[in-house]
Amino acid sequence: MVFYLNDNIQYVQGVGPKRAKLLQRLGISTIQDILFYFPRDYINKITDKKISELKINEIATIRAKVISFGKIRKKFQKDKFRAVISDGTGYLTCIWFNTTPWLEKQFEIGKEIIILGKLKYYYSRLCIIHPDFEFFGDKEKESFWTGQNYLPVYPLTEGLSNKIFRKVIINIFNRGFKISETLPQYILNSHNLLTINQALTKIHKPNTEDDISSSRRRFIFEELFYLELMLARKKVHWHRTTGNVMQLKKTLTTELKNKLPFKLTSAQKKVLNEIVNDMKSPFQMNRLLQGDVGSGKTIISLFAMLLAIENGFQAAIMAPTEILATQHCFALKEFIKGINVRIELLLGGNYAGKKKLKQAILDGEIDIVIGTHSLIQKDVTFKSLGIVIIDEQHRFGVIQRLSLSQKGQTPDKLIMSATPIPRSLALTVYGDLDVSIIDELPPNRKEIYTNWITGHKKPEVFDFINKQISKGRQVYVVCPLVEETGKSDLRDATNTYVELKNGVFSKHRLALLHGRMSNQEKDEIMQNFKDGKIDVLVSTTVVEVGIDVPNATIMMIEHAERFGLSQLHQLRGRVGRGMHKSYCVLMAYEPISEEALLRLNTMKETSDGFKISEVDLEIRGPGEFFGTEQSGIPKFRIANIVRDKIILEDARKIAFEVISDNFDLNLEKNSLLNEKYKEEYFKREKLFSF
Ligand code: ADP
Ligand code: MG
């Protein structure tokens, strides 16, 4: 009798209670679980390495002939078994620490053998201890390589070998199982995808490269397709959700427009138009605003907020940190000087005046409230929240975003991404939102000369900095740590500050800034720097999200090899904001890893935030880049949105076509989709919102 997908794994031949427990650690308890536990890699059995090419600790398969074999007997020790094999390029010793009559019987001089194992250097020769082996042409036997040309390698846990895992899989295949298709025929056909049965067979028991790639493609497609199906439904749902209808009253918005010290770039005008149209429409806005550092997102968000306010609503901005919230408050207050709009900062914790402030928010006396997740606390209530702005540095989870928007009656929602998001992430994590992109920097921006150097060039850099200061420019020096912690030889901010003050910059005015100072101290120093009372600001990364100082022209980063790409890019964005040519000097120290080198060179080669974030995503992988756990996106089994970009685009296109054609998935041709969707995605859909 064949297996059913829900059957317990324990009853597969070769499993039993002990192995069932080990499998459970991998999340495998049923036939379905193990069938969808995919190999992470394959070993090509036929064309793998020659003995002479092997490296120590390498896992390889070798095809060779038996040269000699025999028992090794030593006093007080168990008998061992040894076989020497050769493929003509060298000799290899295979060792078994406890021999059995069965084992000894297998060997014959001259017999062709295939060995799988890890190469070690033992007893002064190349060895493989306890290799998996089989004799060539032994296809009848149940064997470690499953009779296929490629051996799957599974990501396993201790106590569970691939040999055993493969056997379990083979036993399941030998007995057979009942599985139904999960993609409709019309999609399989139009995309040239394998059926689920074909794909499962080929992914676990491939015979050719094509078996591997086509079976993987089927499952990657499926995984991304269902996700995109959910995003498509969500997006259509947003487009149908009724919201507030705002009218361009041209009071506050026009006041701001007339006061603006600069002209909006055409990219800014374009996105503002998109936002205003959303807000005027009878539907709720759910929009992502993307743009590089310094592209001018803040002013756009202010226009949107003023539009809500001139329609009698309040606005809220949620920022990921207090520094950023404070910074927003500061910047917005600058812009609205002379306009009758009340902006207040709502910070975390308890402080004098907070209770009053909350009452004023409830009474609708405050027009714009800026805060961190302090905003989503239960006791914060708005009179009529009309727009929610989320300044997201990849930090908010969906739940937090959701709770802020619940403080209003279907308020319009605008997410601003502090750094550009690579397209593949935008299509998944933000795949349900409309997207506006500011793809142009304000005209006064100049290319920032960027280079990375190692320690011995430092004197030249300091010479150059001195010259800049004497021309009246200002300098940032950023260090990775505040204070030296024990053994670490990182150049910490405090030490660097003392060193520079007593050394090369003794003639200039220096200040130290770090996150352990009180907000008041920090503000004061920032303000002094802005007012030109400080020449060199030595700091930790707190300036990353800090202040706008057009006269600062040099950003020098100590231990740049330690910083992530997006952080380096953010830091660089602190200069090049004025009329003078600006420079970014990345000081790197050995050892510089390959990845660090890639980061440094990327910084040198491009200033395009979108390109930089692509590289960043490639280096770090989607999980780390975004904390996808928090984002509401399910963990991928097999897909990798960086590697599988093309399949992603494809899956998204089809998913949106399907949903626009049949939102409820209730057409006959979509019945398979409906079934699986209801089972696995429907619940998640509720969670995935903001
Ligand atoms: P972002 O938030 O996108 O990083 P900001 O909104 O902080 O960028 O804008 C960076 C700086 O550019 C601010 O000083 C802002 O006042 C200024 N700015 C914004 N738009 C323009 C523009 N169209 N022309 C000139 N300067 C601008
Ligand atoms: Mg900003």
Side-chain angles (χ1 to χ4, degrees), residues 448-493:
I448 300 164
Y449 175 85
T450 303
N451 209 346
W452 68 270
I453 58 171
T454 47
H456 66 280
K457 280 232 180 125
K458 235 170 158 174
E460 283 170 52
V461 173
F462 287 138
D463 266 2
F464 180 74
I465 294 180
N466 266 317
K467 277 190 199 125
Q468 284 280 308
I469 299 176
S470 53
K471 283 186 194 160
R473 303 288 86 76
Q474 288 164 285
V475 182
Y476 294 100
V477 177
V478 175
C479 305
L481 289 173
V482 187
E483 258 173 290
E484 206 145 349
T485 46
K487 294 186 293 263
S488 156
D489 57 355
L490 294 187
R491 309 195 57 78
D492 64 276

Side-chain angles (χ1 to χ4, degrees), residues 121-186:
Y121 200 67
Y122 259 25
Y123 309 115
S124 51
R125 59 186 113 190
L126 293 177
C127 289
I128 292 185
I129 315 282
H130 292 184
D132 288 338
F133 72 96
E134 76 178 33
F135 291 98
F136 198 68
D138 232 1
K139 291 209 176 187
E140 297 308 305
K141 277 215 185 112
E142 211 174 51
S143 64
F144 74 86
W145 53 288
T146 71
Q148 311 294 322
N149 288 341
Y150 288 83
L151 266 183
V153 180
Y154 298 89
L156 297 178
T157 179
E158 212 177 293
L160 203 60
S161 70
N162 263 291
K163 189 175 169 179
I164 289 166
F165 199 91
R166 281 177 210 127
K167 259 193 188 151
V168 173
I169 294 266
I170 293 305
N171 288 342
I172 294 171
F173 273 95
N174 284 346
R175 193 158 129 193
F177 49 84
K178 260 209 155 70
I179 189 163
S180 9
E181 186 50 71
T182 44
L183 285 173
Q185 196 62 42
Y186 76 95

Side-chain angles (χ1 to χ4, degrees), residues 516-533:
R516 289 195 207 149
M517 295 172 157
S518 72
N519 282 339
Q520 201 187 342
E521 271 178 294
K522 275 188 286 199
D523 287 350
E524 207 170 296
I525 290 167
M526 284 293 206
Q527 196 57 49
N528 282 342
F529 189 61
K530 193 168 184 172
D531 294 343
K533 293 178 192 158

Side-chain angles (χ1 to χ4, degrees), residues 297-298 328 391:
K297 295 183 288 286
T298 312
H328 275 309
D391 192 11

Side-chain angles (χ1 to χ4, degrees), residues 489-554:
D489 57 355
L490 294 187
R491 309 195 57 78
D492 64 276
T494 316
N495 270 352
T496 305
Y497 168 72
V498 173
E499 224 175 273
L500 294 176
K501 194 176 153 76
N502 299 326
V504 284
F505 298 144
S506 59
K507 284 191 257 129
H508 306 304
R509 298 163 298 173
L510 272 71
L512 175 66
L513 180 82
H514 57 72
R516 289 195 207 149
M517 295 172 157
S518 72
N519 282 339
Q520 201 187 342
E521 271 178 294
K522 275 188 286 199
D523 287 350
E524 207 170 296
I525 290 167
M526 284 293 206
Q527 196 57 49
N528 282 342
F529 189 61
K530 193 168 184 172
D531 294 343
K533 293 178 192 158
I534 294 167
D535 302 309
V536 181
L537 184 65
V538 181
S539 84
T540 58
T541 51
V542 293
V543 290
E544 188 184 338
V545 290
I547 208 161
D548 186 29
V549 183
N551 191 46
T553 55
I554 297 183

Side-chain angles (χ1 to χ4, degrees), residues 311-363:
N311 281 275
F313 291 99
Q314 291 167 289
I317 307 183
M318 185 157 77
T321 62
E322 293 210 339
I323 296 181
L324 245 185
T326 315
Q327 161 79 11
H328 275 309
C329 187
F330 187 83
L332 294 179
K333 277 184 172 161
E334 282 287 309
F335 280 126
I336 58 144
K337 259 184 197 154
I339 302 178
N340 186 23
V341 165
R342 215 175 136 189
I343 302 186
E344 290 298 339
L345 198 56
L346 183 78
L347 295 175
N350 276 323
Y351 53 90
K354 187 167 176 181
K355 211 170 159 199
K356 239 184 174 172
L357 179 56
K358 281 190 280 196
Q359 186 61 45
I361 294 171
L362 178 61
D363 293 340

Side-chain angles (χ1 to χ4, degrees), residues 182-184 186-187 225-234 240 654-682 685:
T182 44
L183 285 173
Y186 76 95
I187 292 181
F225 175 75
Y226 272 95
L227 173 67
E228 291 298 336
L229 213 52
M230 176 176 79
L231 293 166
R233 272 177 56 92
K234 206 79 214 182
R240 293 175 179 178
I654 314 299
F656 273 73
E657 278 169 17
V658 169
I659 292 302
S660 79
D661 173 50
N662 182 203
F663 182 82
D664 293 315
L665 297 173
N666 55 2
L667 294 181
E668 178 57 31
K669 65 173 180 179
N670 290 327
S671 60
L672 291 180
L673 295 181
N674 197 348
E675 221 171 287
K676 177 161 169 161
Y677 193 85
K678 271 204 187 119
E679 206 168 295
E680 294 177 34
Y681 289 84
F682 203 58
E685 193 180 275

